[in-house]
């Protein structure tokens, strides 16, 4: 069952208007939630970010946290996602439907849609590590907003895939920003480096959790920019995100990262992250 603009519908009836601004302009926002053992992980942090994305784009956002949470819980229920299941829940809000023109009329009614489906955790990848490819970051300059405008990210991920990699590491003129759908950390001499949470990256919820966990493990974290050369000299590299969790990168553009094996620091962080689930 899907939730579309106030109705519960099967896939075959899940229609959206062709002049929904989400279609025509990518004019909307979204969140992806992880469900561990039937429970929504970090609800409030995702809700807060969704509301902030709406505010930054002047999209009306009439829903309280508990109203949206109730829809999310019903989605799990209607899709038979129970305490034995891991799953993904997706929610998006578009600005609404209007005759096509770039500027938007006042008073549009925002359109909420959502779905949930069972999805296993990426256990093998987290265990063995994955390959990444360095790709230019061609996205717009408000990557802090979780908007539906994902073409830059989708093309980067596709290019990474065509190069045999699992995820892209994006760079702007040599400055490394993040993954196409994840944040990135470098480990060098036991210090963690990650791009500052400004307009050039998504302020990842998993990123924030990992920064806090690093503190409890007495690992220093520097939220600083770094370049592709520094990246290539990393001892360890890893992505963070709702879908990738804490994901080690063992090769970059076909060359081994550090020893080419999953490193000790990322293992410790994976273990600590596990402790935040359920
Ligand atoms: N993406 N950076 C980008 C560009 C992202 O799209 C995401 C998440 C993240 C990680 O954020 P978080 O830890 O809050 O999930 C970082 C989601 C999962 C997606 O688009 O599928």
């Amino acid at each position: 069952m899907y939730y579309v603009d106030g109705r519960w519908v099967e896939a075959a009836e899940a229609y959206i208007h062709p002049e929904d601004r989400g279609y025509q302009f990518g004019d909307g926002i979204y969140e992806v939630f992880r469900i561990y053992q039937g429970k929504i992980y970090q609800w409030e942090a995702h809700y807060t970010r969704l509301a902030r994305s709406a505010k930054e784009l002047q999209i009306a956002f009439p829903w309280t946290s508990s109203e949206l949470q109730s829809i999310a819980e019903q989605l799990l229920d209607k899709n038979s996602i129970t305490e034995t299941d891991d799953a993904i829940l997706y929610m998006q809000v578009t600005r609404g439907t209007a005759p096509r023109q770039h500027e938007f009329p006042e008073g549009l009614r925002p359109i909420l849609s959502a779905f949930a489906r069972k999805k296993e955790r990426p256990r093998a990848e987290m265990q063995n590590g994955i390959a990444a490819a360095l790709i230019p970051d061609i996205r717009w300059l408000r990557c802090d907003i979780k908007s539906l405008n994902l073409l830059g990210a989708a093309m980067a991920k596709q290019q990474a895939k065509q190069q045999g990699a699992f995820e892209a590491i994006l760079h702007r003129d040599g400055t490394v920003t993040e993954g196409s759908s994840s944040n990135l950390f470098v480990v060098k001499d036991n210090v963690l480096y990650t791009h500052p949470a400004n307009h050039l990256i998504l302020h990842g919820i998993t990123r924030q959790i990992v920064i806090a966990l690093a503190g409890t493990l007495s690992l220093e974290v520097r939220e600083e920019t770094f370049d592709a050369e520094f990246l290539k000299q990393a001892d360890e590299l890893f992505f963070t995100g709702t879908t990738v969790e804490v994901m080690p990168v063992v090769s970059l553009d076909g060359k081994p990262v550090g020893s080419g094996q999953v490193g000790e620091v990322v293992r410790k962080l994976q273990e600590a992250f596990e402790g935040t689930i359920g």
Side-chain angles (χ1 to χ4, degrees):
M1 293 287 274
Y2 288 71
Y3 178 89
V4 182
D5 197 18
R7 299 188 309 131
W8 296 99
V9 289
E10 298 290 349
E13 280 97 50
Y15 300 125
I16 289 177
H17 195 285
E19 288 206 286
D20 184 308
R21 288 184 59 100
Y23 278 142
Q24 293 184 329
F25 299 101
D27 188 354
I29 53 171
Y30 76 104
E31 282 295 325
V32 180
F33 301 79
R34 215 355 159 168
I35 316 301
Y36 292 114
Q37 305 281 284
K39 286 207 195 67
I40 305 172
Y41 184 67
Q42 293 285 326
W43 169 266
E44 210 53 44
H46 284 277
Y47 171 81
T48 302
R49 187 170 63 189
L50 189 64
R52 176 189 182 267
S53 294
K55 183 156 180 275
E56 292 295 317
L57 296 176
Q58 303 171 46
I59 291 174
F61 192 80
W63 301 276
T64 63
S65 170
S66 54
E67 281 163 358
L68 274 197
Q69 194 170 4
S70 156
I71 292 169
E73 302 284 359
Q74 289 178 69
L75 254 185
L76 298 183
D77 213 36
K78 289 178 195 293
N79 289 284
S80 310
I81 294 162
T82 68
E83 67 275 8
T84 55
D85 299 314
D86 294 327
I88 286 291
L89 191 149
Y90 176 89
M91 269 189 176
Q92 74 167 44
V93 177
T94 69
R95 189 182 302 281
T97 298
R100 185 182 184 278
Q101 56 179 23
H102 286 63
E103 72 278 29
F104 38 88
E106 290 212 354
L108 278 191
R109 191 175 62 79
I111 293 174
L112 171 66
S113 59
F115 63 84
R117 69 169 58 99
K118 291 176 195 174
K119 190 163 194 238
E120 298 281 326
R121 298 176 62 189
R123 290 180 208 279
E125 291 85 353
M126 289 195 293
Q127 182 60 31
N128 303 325
I130 49 97
L134 195 58
I135 311 267
D137 189 345
I138 61 164
R139 301 172 303 163
W140 73 330
L141 296 173
R142 289 302 307 274
C143 297
D144 56 309
I145 300 172
K146 204 159 172 60
S147 93
L148 298 181
N149 260 295
L150 287 176
L151 209 41
M155 295 310 287
K157 183 84 143 226
Q158 181 64 17
Q159 202 177 326
K161 187 179 161 195
Q162 285 165 352
Q163 293 176 21
F166 173 96
E167 172 62 307
I169 294 179
L170 304 178
H171 72 90
R172 274 188 206 270
D173 299 326
T175 299
V176 175
T177 50
E178 61 179 334
S180 72
S181 62
S182 56
N183 292 115
L184 178 74
F185 287 78
V186 169
V187 183
K188 185 72 187 165
D189 299 329
N190 270 323
V191 177
L192 271 59
Y193 296 82
T194 193
H195 194 285
N198 60 16
H199 62 291
L200 296 178
I201 66 161
L202 186 77
H203 304 184
I205 291 162
T206 322
R207 172 187 182 278
Q208 207 49 55
I209 290 169
V210 163
I211 289 173
L213 292 173
T216 67
L217 296 168
S218 303
L219 289 164
E220 187 186 342
V221 182
R222 295 193 193 151
E223 295 183 62
E224 291 174 4
T225 56
F226 51 86
D227 62 15
E229 284 315 306
F230 184 72
L231 185 73
K232 287 172 192 163
Q233 282 148 34
D235 298 330
E236 300 179 36
L237 282 184
F238 64 93
F239 293 113
T240 62
T242 295
T243 49
V244 296
E245 308 193 10
V246 179
M247 181 63 78
V249 180
V250 292
S251 80
L252 173 61
D253 288 338
K255 299 191 188 75
V257 173
S259 67
Q261 306 291 317
V262 175
E264 251 172 66
V265 171
V266 71
R267 278 285 182 250
K268 278 190 212 155
L269 289 165
Q270 282 181 322
E271 202 182 309
F273 184 76
E274 209 62 38
T276 71
I277 297 171

